[in-house]
Amino acid sequence: MADKGHLIIISGPSGVGKGTVCDRLLKQRKSIVKSVSVTTRKPRIGEVDGVDYFFKSKRQYDELKEKGGFLETFSIYDNYYGTPAEFVEKNINSGKSVLLEIDVQGALAVKQKMPESKLIFLAPPSIEHLVQRLCKRNTEDEQSFNKRICAARTELDNKDKYDYIIINDDIDKATEEIKRIIDDITK
Ligand code: 5GP
């Protein structure tokens, strides 16, 4: 039987650059697969169903949840998110490492269930940097923007619970550092 793969979780405030780092990692490390979460949030322009998220109605989401389909679930910004349990288990059991890009509470919940999982926190150099980045991204209305900044403060307060903390003051450097950490975990 193949050795089991690893579960690697990346968290960090909305707008910090997790998506970019994960995309680059996945292009360069074919033995790692990213779990696609289920969400009730509406797709942003350019987001693709089944690639960025599985976009579901609240009813579909609740049905999946009732069936025990999620490794963890979380609700933020009035939306619901969940990590599909079957995808994670199947890949890990077949020897693939799985990357989850999820929020802090979800990450800590998974760590409790699966203590061997590794948690990486991607932090902005400062809250001011994050505000600027989210402004530039321009994907949120004012209410959602404010909620994300508020949630960012809570996420940053929890960063010391992570196995690794990387400051994203340069996206290339941050990606390289995370790649090195993941290579070390999966070697
Ligand atoms: P966004 O709406 O900006 O795509 O994601 C909002 C937050 O939800 C981000 O911090 C993202 O990492 C987190 N997130 C996405 N999918 C999941 C999930 O399945 N579980 C949890 N706990 N958080 C998630």
Side-chain angles (χ1 to χ4, degrees):
M1 208 169 77
D3 283 343
K4 280 194 170 191
H6 299 265
L7 185 57
I8 299 155
I9 304 177
I10 296 193
S11 304
S14 188
V16 77
K18 297 178 302 256
T20 307
V21 168
C22 289
D23 288 349
R24 290 187 184 184
L25 277 170
L26 294 167
K27 279 199 187 115
Q28 295 175 33
R29 295 290 179 268
K30 299 293 178 199
S31 60
I32 299 173
V33 289
K34 185 169 175 243
S35 162
V36 178
S37 292
V38 172
T39 185
T40 62
R41 158 166 93 56
K42 296 277 168 288
R44 295 187 186 120
I45 292 168
E47 284 186 330
V48 177
D49 188 36
V51 176
D52 299 289
Y53 284 103
F54 292 106
F55 295 100
K56 302 280 183 203
S57 67
K58 179 68 169 49
R59 196 162 61 88
Q60 289 170 317
Y61 173 92
D62 285 341
E63 275 169 16
L64 269 168
K65 190 172 173 184
E66 254 170 55
K67 279 193 233 155
F70 294 127
L71 181 59
E72 59 80 38
T73 59
F74 192 52
S75 158
I76 22 172
Y77 323 128
D78 309 323
N79 290 313
Y80 296 82
Y81 297 81
T83 302
E86 195 185 339
F87 177 89
V88 173
E89 282 153 19
K90 224 166 65 189
N91 276 286
I92 287 186
N93 289 336
S94 74
K96 286 242 179 203
S97 289
V98 178
L99 187 64
L100 303 185
E101 185 197 322
I102 62 175
D103 93 294
V104 167
Q105 297 190 46
L108 298 177
V110 174
K111 181 82 173 178
Q112 249 193 353
K113 272 192 191 167
M114 302 168 79
E116 67 284 6
S117 57
K118 296 289 181 199
L119 307 188
I120 303 173
F121 192 93
L122 188 62
S126 66
I127 281 279
E128 290 71 30
H129 271 84
L130 195 68
V131 171
Q132 277 173 17
R133 271 193 212 158
L134 264 181
C135 274
K136 247 201 215 154
R137 198 172 82 176
N138 198 22
T139 53
E140 311 307 320
D141 61 28
E142 192 183 338
Q143 195 190 22
S144 169
F145 182 95
N146 290 335
K147 281 185 183 169
R148 279 162 199 268
I149 294 301
C150 186
R153 294 184 197 280
T154 313
E155 300 221 346
L156 285 163
D157 286 346
N158 279 290
K159 68 180 186 315
D160 292 337
K161 296 176 183 156
Y162 277 62
D163 299 303
Y164 307 91
I165 303 170
I166 304 298
I167 310 288
N168 184 12
D169 48 6
D170 176 289
I171 193 80
D172 294 332
K173 207 172 94 220
T175 306
E176 280 309 307
E177 281 179 54
I178 292 181
K179 210 161 68 189
R180 234 176 292 130
I181 290 169
I182 291 182
D183 285 346
D184 198 45
I185 294 169
T186 57
K187 75 179 176 218

Coordinates of all heavy atoms in Angstrom, one line a residue, residues 10-15 18 35-39 41 44 47 52-53 70 72-77 79-84 101-107 137 140 148 155, ligand 1:
I10 N -3.0 26.1 4.4 CA -2.6 27.5 4.4 C -3.7 28.4 4.7 O -4.8 28.3 4.2 CB -2.1 27.9 3.0 CG1 -0.9 27.0 2.6 CG2 -1.7 29.4 2.8 CD1 -0.1 27.4 1.4
S11 N -3.5 29.3 5.7 CA -4.4 30.3 6.1 C -3.8 31.7 6.0 O -2.6 31.8 6.0 CB -5.0 30.1 7.5 OG -5.5 28.8 7.7
G12 N -4.6 32.7 6.2 CA -4.1 34.1 6.2 C -5.3 34.9 5.8 O -6.3 34.5 5.2
P13 N -5.3 36.2 6.2 CA -6.4 37.1 5.9 C -6.7 37.2 4.5 O -5.9 37.0 3.6 CB -6.0 38.4 6.5 CG -4.7 38.2 7.2 CD -4.1 36.9 6.8
S14 N -8.0 37.5 4.2 CA -8.5 37.7 2.8 C -7.7 38.8 2.2 O -7.5 39.9 2.8 CB -10.0 38.1 3.0 OG -10.6 38.2 1.7
G15 N -7.1 38.6 1.0 CA -6.4 39.6 0.3 C -4.9 39.5 0.5 O -4.1 40.2 -0.1
K18 N -2.9 34.4 -0.6 CA -2.9 32.9 -0.5 C -3.2 32.2 -1.8 O -2.5 31.3 -2.2 CB -4.0 32.4 0.5 CG -3.9 32.8 1.9 CD -5.0 32.3 2.7 CE -6.4 32.7 2.2 NZ -7.1 33.7 2.9
S35 N -7.6 20.9 -2.4 CA -9.0 20.6 -2.2 C -9.8 21.8 -2.6 O -9.5 23.0 -2.3 CB -9.2 20.3 -0.7 OG -10.6 20.4 -0.4
V36 N -10.9 21.6 -3.3 CA -11.8 22.7 -3.7 C -13.0 22.7 -2.8 O -13.7 21.7 -2.6 CB -12.3 22.4 -5.2 CG1 -13.3 23.5 -5.6 CG2 -11.1 22.4 -6.2
S37 N -13.1 23.8 -2.0 CA -14.2 23.9 -1.0 C -15.5 24.1 -1.7 O -15.6 24.6 -2.8 CB -13.9 25.0 -0.1 OG -12.8 24.8 0.7
V38 N -16.5 23.8 -0.9 CA -17.9 24.1 -1.3 C -18.3 25.4 -0.6 O -17.9 25.6 0.5 CB -18.9 23.0 -0.8 CG1 -20.3 23.3 -1.0 CG2 -18.6 21.6 -1.5
T39 N -18.9 26.3 -1.3 CA -19.4 27.5 -0.7 C -20.7 27.9 -1.2 O -21.1 27.6 -2.4 CB -18.4 28.7 -1.0 OG1 -18.8 29.8 -0.2 CG2 -18.3 29.1 -2.4
R41 N -21.2 31.2 -1.2 CA -20.9 32.6 -1.7 C -21.1 32.6 -3.2 O -20.8 31.6 -3.9 CB -19.5 32.9 -1.3 CG -18.9 34.0 -2.1 CD -17.6 34.6 -1.6 NE -16.4 34.1 -2.0 CZ -15.9 34.0 -3.2 NH1 -16.7 34.2 -4.2 NH2 -14.7 33.5 -3.4
R44 N -17.1 35.3 -7.8 CA -16.6 36.6 -8.3 C -16.3 36.5 -9.8 O -16.2 35.4 -10.3 CB -15.3 36.9 -7.6 CG -15.4 37.1 -6.1 CD -14.1 37.6 -5.5 NE -14.2 37.6 -4.1 CZ -13.4 36.9 -3.2 NH1 -12.5 36.2 -3.7 NH2 -13.6 37.0 -1.9
E47 N -14.2 33.6 -11.5 CA -14.1 32.3 -10.7 C -14.9 31.3 -11.5 O -16.0 31.5 -12.0 CB -14.7 32.5 -9.3 CG -13.7 33.3 -8.4 CD -14.2 33.4 -7.0 OE1 -15.4 33.4 -6.7 OE2 -13.3 33.4 -6.1
D52 N -12.4 27.1 -8.6 CA -12.1 27.9 -7.4 C -12.9 27.5 -6.2 O -12.4 27.4 -5.1 CB -12.6 29.4 -7.8 CG -11.7 29.9 -8.9 OD1 -10.5 30.1 -8.7 OD2 -12.2 30.0 -10.1
Y53 N -14.2 27.1 -6.4 CA -15.1 26.5 -5.4 C -16.1 25.7 -6.2 O -16.3 25.8 -7.4 CB -15.8 27.7 -4.7 CG -15.1 28.4 -3.7 CD1 -14.6 29.7 -4.0 CD2 -14.8 27.9 -2.4 CE1 -13.9 30.5 -3.0 CE2 -14.1 28.7 -1.5 CZ -13.7 29.9 -1.8 OH -13.0 30.7 -0.8
F70 N -18.5 16.9 5.0 CA -17.5 17.9 5.2 C -16.5 17.5 6.4 O -16.9 17.0 7.4 CB -18.1 19.2 5.6 CG -18.8 19.8 4.4 CD1 -20.2 20.3 4.6 CD2 -18.3 20.0 3.2 CE1 -20.9 20.8 3.6 CE2 -19.0 20.6 2.1 CZ -20.3 21.0 2.3
E72 N -14.7 19.8 7.7 CA -14.9 21.0 8.6 C -15.8 21.9 7.9 O -15.8 22.0 6.6 CB -13.7 21.7 9.1 CG -12.7 22.2 8.0 CD -13.2 23.6 7.5 OE1 -13.6 24.4 8.2 OE2 -13.1 23.7 6.2
T73 N -16.6 22.7 8.6 CA -17.4 23.8 8.0 C -17.2 25.1 8.7 O -16.8 25.1 9.9 CB -18.9 23.4 8.0 OG1 -19.3 23.3 9.4 CG2 -19.2 22.2 7.2
F74 N -17.5 26.1 8.0 CA -17.4 27.4 8.7 C -18.3 28.4 8.0 O -18.5 28.3 6.8 CB -15.9 27.9 8.7 CG -15.7 29.0 9.6 CD1 -16.1 29.0 10.9 CD2 -15.1 30.2 9.1 CE1 -15.9 30.1 11.7 CE2 -14.8 31.3 9.9 CZ -15.2 31.2 11.2
S75 N -18.7 29.4 8.8 CA -19.5 30.5 8.2 C -18.9 31.8 8.5 O -18.6 32.1 9.6 CB -20.9 30.4 8.8 OG -21.6 31.6 8.6
I76 N -18.6 32.5 7.4 CA -18.0 33.9 7.6 C -18.7 34.8 6.5 O -19.0 34.3 5.4 CB -16.5 34.0 7.4 CG1 -16.0 32.8 6.6 CG2 -15.8 34.2 8.7 CD1 -14.5 32.9 6.3
Y77 N -18.7 36.1 6.8 CA -19.2 37.1 5.9 C -20.6 36.6 5.4 O -20.9 36.8 4.2 CB -18.3 37.3 4.7 CG -16.8 37.2 5.0 CD1 -16.0 36.4 4.2 CD2 -16.2 38.0 6.0 CE1 -14.6 36.3 4.5 CE2 -14.9 37.9 6.2 CZ -14.1 37.1 5.5 OH -12.7 37.0 5.7
N79 N -21.7 33.8 4.6 CA -21.6 32.7 3.6 C -21.1 31.5 4.3 O -20.5 31.6 5.4 CB -20.7 33.1 2.5 CG -21.3 34.1 1.6 OD1 -22.4 34.0 1.2 ND2 -20.5 35.2 1.3
Y80 N -21.3 30.3 3.7 CA -21.0 29.1 4.3 C -19.9 28.4 3.4 O -20.0 28.5 2.2 CB -22.2 28.2 4.4 CG -23.2 28.7 5.4 CD1 -24.1 29.7 4.9 CD2 -23.2 28.4 6.7 CE1 -25.0 30.3 5.8 CE2 -24.1 28.9 7.6 CZ -25.0 29.9 7.1 OH -25.9 30.5 8.0
Y81 N -18.9 27.8 4.1 CA -17.8 27.1 3.4 C -17.6 25.8 4.0 O -17.9 25.6 5.2 CB -16.5 27.9 3.6 CG -16.5 29.3 3.1 CD1 -17.1 30.4 3.8 CD2 -15.9 29.6 1.8 CE1 -17.1 31.7 3.3 CE2 -15.9 30.9 1.3 CZ -16.5 31.9 2.1 OH -16.4 33.2 1.6
G82 N -17.2 24.8 3.2 CA -16.9 23.5 3.8 C -15.9 22.7 3.0 O -15.8 22.9 1.7
T83 N -15.0 22.0 3.7 CA -14.0 21.2 3.0 C -14.5 19.8 2.8 O -14.9 19.1 3.7 CB -12.8 21.0 4.0 OG1 -12.3 22.4 4.3 CG2 -11.7 20.2 3.3
P84 N -14.6 19.3 1.5 CA -15.1 18.0 1.2 C -14.3 16.9 1.8 O -13.1 16.8 1.5 CB -15.1 17.9 -0.3 CG -14.9 19.3 -0.8 CD -14.2 20.0 0.3
E101 N -6.8 25.6 1.5 CA -6.7 27.0 1.7 C -7.9 27.5 2.5 O -9.0 27.7 1.9 CB -6.6 27.7 0.3 CG -6.3 29.2 0.4 CD -6.6 29.9 -0.9 OE1 -6.3 29.3 -2.0 OE2 -7.1 31.0 -0.9
I102 N -7.9 27.5 3.8 CA -9.1 27.7 4.6 C -8.8 28.7 5.7 O -7.6 29.0 6.0 CB -9.7 26.4 5.2 CG1 -8.7 25.7 6.1 CG2 -10.1 25.5 4.0 CD1 -9.3 24.4 6.8
D103 N -9.8 29.1 6.4 CA -9.7 30.2 7.4 C -9.1 29.5 8.7 O -9.0 28.3 8.8 CB -11.0 30.9 7.7 CG -11.7 30.2 8.8 OD1 -12.1 29.0 8.6 OD2 -11.9 30.8 9.9
V104 N -8.8 30.4 9.6 CA -8.1 30.0 10.9 C -8.9 29.0 11.7 O -8.4 28.0 12.2 CB -7.7 31.2 11.7 CG1 -7.3 30.8 13.1 CG2 -6.6 32.0 11.1
Q105 N -10.2 29.3 11.9 CA -11.0 28.4 12.7 C -11.1 27.0 12.1 O -11.0 26.0 12.8 CB -12.3 29.0 13.0 CG -12.2 30.3 13.7 CD -13.5 30.9 14.2 OE1 -14.3 30.1 14.8 NE2 -13.8 32.1 14.0
G106 N -11.3 27.0 10.8 CA -11.3 25.7 10.1 C -10.0 25.0 10.2 O -10.0 23.8 10.5
A107 N -8.9 25.7 10.1 CA -7.6 25.1 10.2 C -7.4 24.5 11.6 O -6.9 23.3 11.7 CB -6.5 26.1 9.9
R137 N -7.6 45.2 -5.1 CA -8.3 44.0 -5.6 C -9.8 44.4 -6.0 O -10.3 43.9 -7.0 CB -8.3 42.9 -4.6 CG -8.6 41.5 -5.2 CD -8.4 40.4 -4.3 NE -9.6 40.2 -3.4 CZ -9.7 39.2 -2.5 NH1 -8.7 38.3 -2.4 NH2 -10.8 39.1 -1.7
E140 N -14.8 43.6 -3.3 CA -15.8 43.6 -2.2 C -16.6 44.9 -2.2 O -16.0 45.9 -2.4 CB -15.1 43.4 -0.9 CG -14.1 42.2 -0.8 CD -14.6 40.9 -1.3 OE1 -15.8 40.6 -1.0 OE2 -13.9 40.2 -2.0
R148 N -14.1 41.8 6.3 CA -12.8 41.1 6.0 C -11.7 41.7 6.8 O -10.8 41.0 7.3 CB -12.5 41.1 4.5 CG -13.3 40.0 3.8 CD -13.4 40.2 2.3 NE -14.5 39.4 1.8 CZ -14.4 38.1 1.3 NH1 -13.2 37.6 1.3 NH2 -15.5 37.5 1.0
E155 N -7.8 36.8 12.7 CA -6.9 35.8 12.2 C -5.5 36.0 12.6 O -4.8 35.1 13.0 CB -7.0 35.8 10.6 CG -8.5 35.5 10.1 CD -8.5 34.6 8.9 OE1 -7.5 34.3 8.3 OE2 -9.6 34.1 8.6
Ligands
5GP1 P1 -13.3 34.0 0.0 O1 -14.7 34.3 0.1 O2 -12.4 35.3 0.0 O3 -12.9 33.1 -1.2 O4 -12.8 33.2 1.3 C1 -13.1 33.7 2.5 C2 -12.3 32.9 3.5 O5 -12.8 31.6 3.7 C3 -10.8 32.8 3.2 O6 -10.0 33.0 4.4 C4 -10.7 31.3 2.8 O7 -9.4 30.8 3.0 C5 -11.8 30.7 3.7 N1 -12.3 29.4 3.2 C6 -12.5 29.0 1.9 N2 -12.9 27.8 1.9 C7 -13.0 27.4 3.2 C8 -13.4 26.1 3.8 O8 -13.8 25.1 3.1 N3 -13.4 26.1 5.1 C9 -13.0 27.2 5.9 N4 -12.9 27.0 7.2 N5 -12.6 28.3 5.3 C10 -12.6 28.4 4.0

